[in-house]
């Protein structure tokens, strides 16, 4: 199968979109000037229910939606488009709007780029001691872009927003110098957009003796949902699987960190075939996704998704809270609602699906999970804890925030019980 890609110019051409009103389509086009839009023929032909747009969750997941921009910004871009403003001018305005949308959430650029011999090592992030993230240059795109994407700034505009390593040499030197690292997480974008032989340049060296301390290689990918053919009937599908087998044969663990936002993505025959083929190599598939308003903000969606995943041998891993970036104003959900959805879904699945942890905020100090809402004495609080901390000592200490029904992110929360600061703000940070 060959994959065809669709971008902004196709918003006017795609016949399926004609059922939407003219104003809806103009607004979609306006949003796509600011936030990246790309989808593909697999998504269009297999995942979207065109009789149910604009409500269909996969449509909302990949096509720009009018509510993604604040109304006054949307009107401004629409006005520019309708008055045939020069492209360069529209791009200038769009670029300014992007800079106001928190393009680098959780201090990804300032805090997590490590140094080796005093030099910054580009294209990697090292936040938690045991895991290093690698961003291969050729993997900084995706088979389709999610409208909520937290790495959206990689797909647009200026180079300063981008984040990638050009060759695998620099990070190898870094890993050799950091024996406490057990996990390498290859991420993007989506590393599975790379050809097998390119992906091998990153993975194969890690199988050598000097990397004995690396016990797990993880690959973060959305390809299992957006393009499962990648593992079934593409030209180098079998080479990919052979590469996976090689990792396993070397006695390492290979974890495919599969991004699924909705059960609709996992139920097509070809998607199940991809899972089967990946698992036959000895790799495990762990699944994760954020909770998104209008896409999966309903416990039944998660229940059905987690059940399908377990049936197919995948391991549910994280339910994230939508990050404070890009179009988050449209997708975000109050933390209390996120916790209610998580709890309602987890109650209804077997223990084998309760490996899913959430709702988790991947924030500057670490990964913080909302354990629940409690009343202690007269005070209603959120009970929170770190699953990962910039300082490992923070991990799994319960702490409290004043209950706030509107809070959607860590930055909205205040310490509970009259405390001035959260405990981790008082402790020395060695990260
Ligand atoms: C989530 C994350 C990891 C991996 O954390 P696990 O709990 O081991 O899955 C590593 N680095 C960064 C920056 C992360 O956000
Ligand atoms: S797959 Fe991940 S990186 Fe790619 S667009 Fe979706 S959220 Fe962003």
């Amino acid at each position: 199968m060959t994959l065809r890609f669709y971008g902004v110019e196709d918003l006017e051409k795609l016949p399926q979109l004609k059922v939407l009103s003219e104003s809806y389509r103009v607004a979609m086009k306006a949003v796509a000037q600011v936030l990246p839009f790309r989808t593909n023929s697999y998504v269009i032909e297999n995942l979207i229910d065109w009789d149910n747009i604009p409500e269909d969750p996969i449509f909302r997941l990949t096509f720009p939606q009018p509510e993604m921009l604040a109304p006054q910004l949307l009107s401004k871009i629409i006005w520019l488009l309708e008055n045939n403003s020069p492209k360069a001018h529209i791009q200038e305005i769009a670029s300014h709007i992007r800079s106001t949308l928190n393009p680098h959430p959780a201090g990804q650029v300032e805090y997590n780029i490590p140094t080796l011999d005093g030099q910054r090592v580009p294209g990697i992030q090292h936040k938690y001691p045991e895991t290093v993230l690698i961003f291969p240059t050729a993997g900084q795109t995706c088979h389709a872009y999610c409208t909520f994407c937290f790495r959206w700034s990689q797909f647009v505009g200026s180079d300063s927003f981008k984040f990638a390593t050009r060759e695998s040499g620099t990070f190898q030197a870094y890993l050799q110098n950091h024996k406490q690292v057990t996990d390498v997480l290859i991420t993007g974008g989506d590393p599975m957009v790379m050809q097998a032989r390119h992906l091998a340049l990153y993975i194969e060296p890690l199988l050598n003796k000097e990397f004995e301390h690396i016990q797990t290689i993880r690959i973060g990918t959305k390809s299992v949902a957006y393009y499962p053919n990648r593992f079934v009937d593409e030209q180098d599908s079998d080479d990919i699987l052979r590469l996976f087998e090689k990792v396993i044969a070397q006695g390492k663990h290979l974890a495919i960190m599969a991004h699924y936002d909705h059960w609709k993505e996992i139920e097509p025959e070809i998607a199940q075939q991809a899972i089967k083929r990946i698992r036959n190599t000895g790799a495990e598939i762990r699944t994760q996704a954020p909770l998104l308003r209008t896409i999966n903000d309903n416990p039944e969606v998660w229940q059905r998704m987690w059940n399908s995943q377990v049936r197919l041998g995948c391991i549910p891993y994280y339910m994230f809270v939508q990050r404070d970036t890009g179009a988050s104003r449209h997708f975000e959900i109050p933390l209390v609602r996120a916790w209610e959805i998580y709890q309602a879904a987890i109650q209804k699945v077997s223990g084998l699906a309760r490996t899913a942890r959430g709702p988790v905020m991947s924030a500057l100090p670490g990964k913080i999970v909302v354990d629940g809402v409690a009343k202690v004495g007269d005070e209603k609080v959120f009970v929170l804890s770190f699953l990962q901390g910039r300082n490992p000592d923070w991990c799994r200490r319960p702490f409290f925030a004043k209950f706030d029904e509107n809070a959607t992110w860590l930055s909205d929360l205040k310490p509970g019980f009259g405390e001035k600061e959260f405990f981790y703000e008082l402790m020395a940070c060695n990260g």
Side-chain angles (χ1 to χ4, degrees):
M1 159 161 185
T2 41
L3 197 62
R4 274 166 295 122
F5 293 103
Y6 296 80
V8 191
E9 44 321 321
D10 299 298
L11 290 173
E12 277 162 30
K13 295 182 214 143
L14 268 172
Q16 292 96 323
L17 295 173
K18 296 283 189 264
V19 298
L20 299 171
S21 68
E22 174 69 18
S23 65
Y24 204 102
R25 281 182 285 146
V26 170
M28 286 172 75
K29 196 175 151 199
V31 171
Q33 307 299 312
V34 178
L35 294 163
F37 164 59
R38 168 187 231 193
T39 192
N40 69 52
S41 46
Y42 174 82
V43 172
I44 288 181
E45 288 158 25
N46 299 278
L47 296 184
I48 295 174
D49 174 3
W50 291 102
D51 292 332
N52 186 33
I53 64 165
E55 279 76 30
D56 179 76
I58 310 300
F59 176 70
R60 305 190 74 86
L61 179 63
T62 61
F63 280 80
Q65 301 298 320
E67 309 84 14
M68 286 166 59
L69 284 183
Q72 72 277 16
L73 298 177
L74 183 67
S75 324
K76 183 165 187 176
I77 304 269
I78 292 176
W79 189 89
L80 293 170
L81 288 173
E82 286 180 341
N83 289 279
N84 293 317
S85 283
K87 232 183 172 146
H89 180 56
I90 297 180
Q91 269 318 303
E92 198 181 310
I93 305 271
S95 160
H96 173 72
I97 294 175
R98 284 196 285 269
S99 70
T100 67
L101 296 176
N102 190 21
H104 295 292
Q108 286 186 56
V109 170
E110 312 91 276
Y111 293 95
N112 301 339
I113 302 177
T115 55
L116 182 65
D117 303 328
Q119 300 282 327
R120 280 157 67 99
V121 186
I124 76 177
Q125 279 187 33
H126 194 187
K127 183 171 181 178
Y128 309 125
E130 69 283 357
T131 305
V132 167
L133 271 53
I134 299 177
F135 296 76
T137 309
Q140 299 316 304
T141 182
C142 298
H143 291 106
Y145 293 154
C146 309
T147 39
F148 71 83
C149 179
F150 67 105
R151 295 210 169 121
W152 60 277
S153 65
Q154 309 208 137
F155 309 136
V156 284
S158 97
D159 257 340
S160 65
F161 283 178
K162 290 194 178 149
F163 201 78
T165 175
R166 209 150 271 294
E167 14 76 52
S168 73
T170 39
F171 81 79
Q172 285 181 44
Y174 183 83
L175 290 176
Q176 280 189 39
N177 273 281
H178 291 80
K179 301 286 188 209
Q180 83 274 30
V181 177
T182 58
D183 287 40
V184 167
L185 168 49
I186 304 174
T187 183
D190 191 334
M192 294 312 306
V193 301
M194 290 194 280
Q195 293 181 327
R197 62 194 169 88
H198 286 147
L199 187 61
L201 294 177
Y202 291 86
I203 291 181
E204 280 177 351
L206 300 179
L207 306 181
N208 294 336
K209 189 126 180 67
E210 63 268 33
F211 296 108
E212 254 175 349
H213 58 296
I214 307 298
Q215 62 179 41
T216 297
I217 297 172
R218 308 191 209 180
I219 301 174
T221 185
K222 178 90 198 168
S223 58
V224 283
Y226 281 163
Y227 188 41
N229 300 73
R230 183 72 194 89
F231 303 95
V232 180
D233 56 10
E234 261 211 327
Q235 205 170 6
D236 66 348
S237 294
D238 289 344
D239 298 337
I240 289 283
L241 300 179
R242 251 172 257 136
L243 176 63
F244 289 2
E245 280 164 2
K246 220 168 179 174
V247 176
I248 309 293
Q250 284 299 312
K252 295 196 195 286
H253 178 52
L254 179 64
I256 305 303
M257 308 304 291
H259 170 188
Y260 290 107
D261 298 286
H262 200 282
W263 53 260
K264 282 175 172 261
E265 297 167 319
I266 205 169
E267 297 192 353
E269 183 59 37
I270 183 92
Q272 305 202 15
Q273 219 177 323
I275 291 172
K276 208 177 276 175
R277 283 170 63 94
I278 292 169
R279 294 198 62 246
N280 278 342
T281 67
E284 292 287 5
I285 302 175
R286 290 175 196 268
T287 64
Q288 54 190 20
L291 189 47
L292 303 159
R293 209 168 64 79
T294 74
I295 293 175
N296 60 21
D297 54 340
N298 166 338
E300 281 88 53
V301 172
W302 290 84
Q303 182 192 345
R304 180 162 171 184
M305 179 164 75
W306 286 337
N307 277 335
S308 294
Q309 289 169 355
V310 168
R311 181 172 52 81
L312 295 165
C314 307
I315 305 164
Y317 192 57
Y318 280 134
M319 173 202 268
F320 288 113
V321 176
Q322 164 61 7
R323 290 198 198 205
D324 52 343
T325 178
S328 61
R329 59 179 298 282
H330 173 52
F331 295 110
E332 68 191 10
I333 292 172
L335 291 174
V336 60
R337 182 72 195 128
W339 171 67
E340 286 165 359
I341 292 170
Y342 172 81
Q343 210 209 5
I346 210 90
Q347 280 173 3
K348 296 199 188 79
V349 294
S350 110
L352 294 187
R354 290 187 191 173
T355 47
R357 294 168 300 168
V360 181
M361 291 177 273
S362 199
L364 183 59
K367 280 193 168 67
I368 298 177
V369 63
V370 180
D371 287 314
V373 175
K375 201 156 177 210
V376 182
D378 286 336
E379 192 168 338
K380 201 173 176 189
V381 288
F382 282 115
V383 183
L384 307 158
S385 66
F386 282 88
L387 297 179
Q388 283 287 3
R390 211 166 259 285
N391 177 342
D393 196 34
W394 300 346
C395 196
R396 280 304 190 182
R397 298 181 182 218
F399 67 104
F400 306 94
K402 215 183 262 176
F403 179 75
D404 175 349
E405 63 179 355
N406 298 316
T408 58
W409 192 251
L410 184 62
S411 51
D412 300 330
L413 297 177
K414 305 269 180 297
F417 306 118
E419 298 283 329
K420 290 215 162 38
E421 287 176 299
F422 290 115
F423 82 93
Y424 57 88
E425 294 171 316
L426 298 165
M427 287 172 68
C429 168
N430 68 1

